[in-house]
């Protein structure tokens, strides 16, 4: 057994010598938003019918769900009926509703209700629109938090609402084993339009409902969620996002909805905010400093971090925008042996080797990333298909830390098998077809070691 492990370590180290730049080139075509009358944006039938239904985890451990929806004409009911039998919704949760104004736009009535004390690993049915037009959906809760429970995550970023976005979402839906989405930021791209046309928040909510109403999407705020527009009199950042998309931030003692953590099955997921203050003594810095020591790898062996702006990026887009956050936090990621860091922002795909650049300071000139088996793998997956198009201009030569990169649209799947192994795949959208373009096995460095504790696989 020791021989096999040592061989795996050798192969893993040897494979770091070279990276791959994919030779695939997608067809050159415009990346355009789908028009408002597209069928994927259709308004559900019935008076004041709930729309833009979405769910996310509602507590730290996974036995609560936040249900959110919009009623367009009047408030209606904020109650959710739910139960474990389709025709017997014998429990209820009463929520709240609100509205917001953004420049010349007034939202519909946005409802949020939290279903608490749910059973693990159980299918629930739920209904919204009580007393008017009732719509019914379902979801499945995760298994109880523990080291050897398998769980499969989907990964999507920078989605938008173009024809390519629709292909990405369709391809993701065809991965039937995926149980929740880790979304790394940039949702609707409403700010691409004059006056930050908030109707595009509504159309996006209806577009993704076919997934978000049935499985939780774990939200990360990106730069296109800022909606900071003093020229329009809009000086409160993130106003549409915070009104529409709630997160369970208080459950992890966070003071803001943009950074928080959850446990889900065998994974501990930390969400960070690239566009909120993170310097020393700021709330986000202090929260992360206190949060990482809480992670019990005997309970949740897989430690995953989500953010929007990548730290390691070899495209000539948003180059080094994440550098200041890297300088603040990378040493902690290495210290606590974070497994994976997923980011978006760059509209392409890239996977790194396990590397770090923690030795650098302003006088020692050690500014080159080096192999480090305690470091995370960094994956950029901002390739959902949004209106800004592909980032197809790469730095040359390919940096030694970059293992694989390709300028295409797609999504990824992270399938945790048990406490020691997980399988990762990235799926390219090629002319409407799903192609597995990058894949690898991950071994958990906390649980699988050689006799020398400095060598992990």
């Amino acid at each position: 057994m020791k021989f096999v492990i040592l061989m795996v370590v050798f192969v893993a180290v040897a494979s770091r010598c070279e990276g791959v730049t994919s030779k695939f080139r997608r067809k050159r075509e415009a990346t355009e938003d789908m028009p408002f009358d597209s069928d994927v944006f259709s308004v559900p039938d019935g008076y004041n019918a709930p729309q833009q239904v979405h769910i996310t985890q509602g507590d730290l451990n996974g036995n609560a769900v936040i249900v959110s929806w919009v009623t367009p004409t009047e408030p209606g009911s904020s109650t959710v009926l739910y139960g474990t039998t389709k025709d017997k919704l014998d429990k209820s949760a009463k929520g709240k509703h609100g509205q917001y104004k953004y420049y010349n736009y007034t939202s519909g009535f946005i409802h949020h209700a939290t279903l608490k004390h749910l059973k693990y690993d159980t299918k629930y049915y739920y209904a919204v629109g009580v007393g008017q037009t009732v719509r019914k959906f379902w979801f499945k809760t995760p298994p109880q938090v523990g080291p050897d429970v398998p769980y499969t995550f989907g990964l999507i970023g920078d989605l938008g609402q173009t024809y390519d976005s629709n292909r990405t979402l369709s391809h993701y839906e065809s991965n039937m084993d995926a149980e929740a989405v880790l979304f790394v930021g940039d949702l609707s791209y409403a700010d691409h339009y004059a006056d930050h046309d908030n109707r595009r928040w509504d159309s996006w909510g209806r577009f993704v409902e076919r997934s978000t109403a049935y499985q939780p999407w774990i939200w990360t705020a990106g730069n296109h969620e800022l909606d900071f527009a003093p020229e329009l009199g809009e000086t409160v950042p993130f106003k549409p996002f915070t009104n529409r998309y709630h997160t369970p931030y208080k459950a992890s003692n966070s003071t803001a909805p943009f950074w928080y953590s959850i446990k889900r099955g065998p994974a501990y997921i930390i969400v960070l905010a690239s566009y909120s203050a993170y310097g020393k003594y700021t709330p986000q810095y202090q929260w992360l400093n206190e949060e990482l020591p809480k992670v019990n790898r005997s309970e949740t062996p897989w430690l995953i971090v989500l953010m929007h702006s990548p730290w390691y990026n070899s495209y000539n887009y948003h180059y080094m925008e994440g550098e200041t956050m890297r300088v603040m936090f990378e040493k902690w990621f290495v210290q606590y042996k974070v497994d994976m860091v997923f980011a978006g922002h760059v509209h392409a795909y890239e996977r790194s080797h396990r590397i770090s650049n923690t030795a650098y300071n302003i006088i020692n000139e050690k500014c080159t990333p080096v192999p480090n088996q305690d470091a995370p793998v960094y994956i950029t997956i901002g390739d959902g298909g949004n209106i800004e198009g592909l980032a197809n201009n790469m730095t040359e030569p390919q940096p030694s830390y970059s293992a694989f990169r390709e300028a295409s649209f797609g999504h990824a799947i992270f399938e945790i098998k048990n406490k020691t192994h997980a399988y990762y795949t990235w799926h390219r959208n090629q002319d409407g077809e799903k192609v597995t373009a990058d894949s690898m096995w991950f071994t958990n460095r906390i649980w699988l070691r050689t006799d020398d504790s400095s060598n992990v696989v």
Side-chain angles (χ1 to χ4, degrees):
M1 182 62 183
K2 289 182 180 179
F3 174 78
V4 172
I5 292 175
L6 288 170
M7 284 298 293
V8 172
V9 173
F10 174 78
V11 171
V13 173
S15 67
R16 290 191 187 88
C17 296
E18 296 182 1
V20 174
T21 297
S22 172
K23 292 181 171 57
F24 173 79
R25 295 292 181 269
R26 75 188 297 269
K27 290 182 179 179
R28 289 189 175 273
E29 56 188 1
T31 305
E32 297 178 350
D33 273 349
M34 295 175 284
F36 279 124
D37 60 0
S38 299
D39 59 352
V40 295
F41 298 148
S42 60
V43 176
D45 294 332
Y47 175 72
N48 206 35
Q51 57 174 267
Q52 306 174 49
V53 180
H54 57 274
I55 64 173
T56 193
Q57 187 158 314
D59 66 350
L60 183 63
N61 295 311
N63 57 358
V65 166
I66 300 172
V67 181
S68 305
W69 69 99
V70 176
T71 50
T73 308
E74 61 171 287
S77 172
S78 293
T79 296
V80 179
L81 302 179
Y82 66 101
T84 56
T85 304
K86 187 175 184 179
D87 298 321
K88 187 181 179 182
L89 306 182
D90 54 357
K91 299 181 184 298
S92 65
K94 185 174 178 58
K96 297 180 179 179
H97 74 270
Q99 285 182 293
Y100 75 90
K101 293 183 178 180
Y102 191 94
Y103 188 53
N104 58 2
Y105 167 91
T106 301
S107 74
F109 300 90
I110 304 169
H111 304 255
H112 304 280
T114 302
L115 317 187
K116 301 178 180 179
H117 309 299
L118 303 174
K119 298 177 182 179
Y120 289 110
D121 203 17
T122 301
K123 188 173 184 178
Y124 282 89
Y125 300 87
Y126 70 99
V128 291
V130 177
Q132 293 181 332
T133 300
V134 176
R135 298 186 68 203
K136 295 182 178 180
F137 306 91
W138 57 265
F139 62 85
K140 187 178 179 182
T141 54
Q144 187 169 356
V145 173
D148 266 324
V149 290
Y151 199 81
T152 301
F153 294 100
L155 286 133
I156 301 175
D158 299 69
L159 184 59
Q161 44 195 303
T162 69
Y163 294 98
D164 284 301
S165 310
N166 195 30
R167 292 189 186 103
T168 295
L169 189 55
S170 297
H171 292 164
Y172 168 70
E173 290 173 303
S174 70
N175 277 308
M176 300 301 292
D177 293 332
E179 301 168 85
V181 170
L182 305 179
F183 191 85
V184 295
D186 283 1
L187 285 69
S188 71
Y189 287 80
D191 64 345
H192 182 81
Y193 292 88
D195 303 331
H196 293 223
D197 188 351
N198 272 226
R199 295 177 302 163
R200 280 290 174 182
W201 277 103
D202 293 319
S203 59
W204 194 83
R206 293 194 295 270
F207 164 52
V208 296
E209 183 189 85
R210 69 203 210 210
S211 176
T212 59
Y214 296 94
Q215 59 178 226
W217 285 37
I218 309 305
W219 302 110
T220 308
N223 58 298
H224 285 280
E225 279 69 75
L226 274 164
D227 284 299
F228 178 72
E231 70 280 8
L232 303 177
E234 295 295 344
T235 57
V236 178
F238 301 105
K239 184 193 284 188
F241 176 77
T242 53
N243 276 277
R244 294 170 182 270
Y245 294 94
H246 281 192
T247 66
Y249 69 97
K250 293 181 181 179
S252 56
N253 297 316
S254 171
T255 55
F258 315 114
W259 60 88
Y260 61 97
S261 67
I262 61 169
K263 303 175 188 178
R264 197 164 185 89
Y268 202 106
I269 299 161
I270 292 177
V271 179
L272 295 181
S274 298
Y275 304 97
S276 298
Y278 47 75
K280 199 168 185 179
Y281 311 120
T282 62
Q284 183 172 197
Y285 177 99
Q286 291 181 316
W287 175 83
L288 185 60
N289 189 33
E290 295 172 1
E291 183 68 13
L292 283 167
K294 296 178 183 177
V295 182
N296 179 358
R297 303 299 280 271
S298 297
E299 179 189 53
T300 50
W302 296 93
L303 179 54
I304 299 168
V305 174
L306 309 180
M307 62 180 67
H308 187 64
S309 186
W311 294 355
Y312 289 96
N313 163 37
S314 67
Y315 290 81
N316 289 316
Y317 301 84
H318 306 303
Y319 187 62
M320 293 187 74
E321 284 185 19
E323 182 66 5
T324 53
M325 181 181 264
R326 183 196 67 78
V327 170
M328 296 304 300
F329 294 152
E330 186 180 23
K331 60 184 181 295
W332 292 350
F333 285 15
V334 174
Q335 176 184 349
Y336 292 99
K337 296 180 175 61
V338 172
D339 291 293
M340 315 278 290
V341 177
F342 293 102
H345 202 36
V346 177
H347 300 160
Y349 174 74
E350 186 167 22
R351 172 175 57 84
S352 80
H353 297 299
R354 291 197 185 280
I355 42 86
S356 69
N357 192 9
T358 56
Y360 170 74
N361 61 46
I362 60 174
I363 60 173
N364 66 11
E365 299 181 355
K366 294 181 179 180
C367 57
T368 301
V370 297
N372 186 338
Q373 281 299 291
D374 285 339
V377 169
Y378 293 90
I379 292 179
T380 299
I381 191 151
D383 54 358
N386 67 79
I387 195 169
E388 291 181 341
L390 278 174
N392 54 13
N393 189 335
M394 306 174 187
T395 61
E396 297 294 348
Q398 184 174 4
S400 60
Y401 65 75
S402 177
F404 184 93
R405 59 185 185 175
E406 180 177 304
S408 293
F409 293 134
H411 73 280
I413 299 293
F414 188 56
E415 184 178 359
I416 299 174
K417 301 291 188 180
N418 50 42
K419 67 184 179 183
T420 59
H421 289 82
Y423 187 58
Y424 168 84
T425 53
W426 173 63
H427 301 268
R428 170 208 303 150
N429 301 344
Q430 178 182 345
D431 302 328
E433 298 296 329
K434 181 180 68 178
V435 176
T436 302
D438 184 35
S439 63
M440 68 176 298
W441 280 95
F442 282 87
T443 50
N444 191 286
R445 297 153 299 153
I446 298 296
W447 285 92
L448 198 60
R449 290 179 177 270
T450 66
D451 289 338
D452 179 359
S453 62
S454 67
N455 293 321
V456 291
V457 290

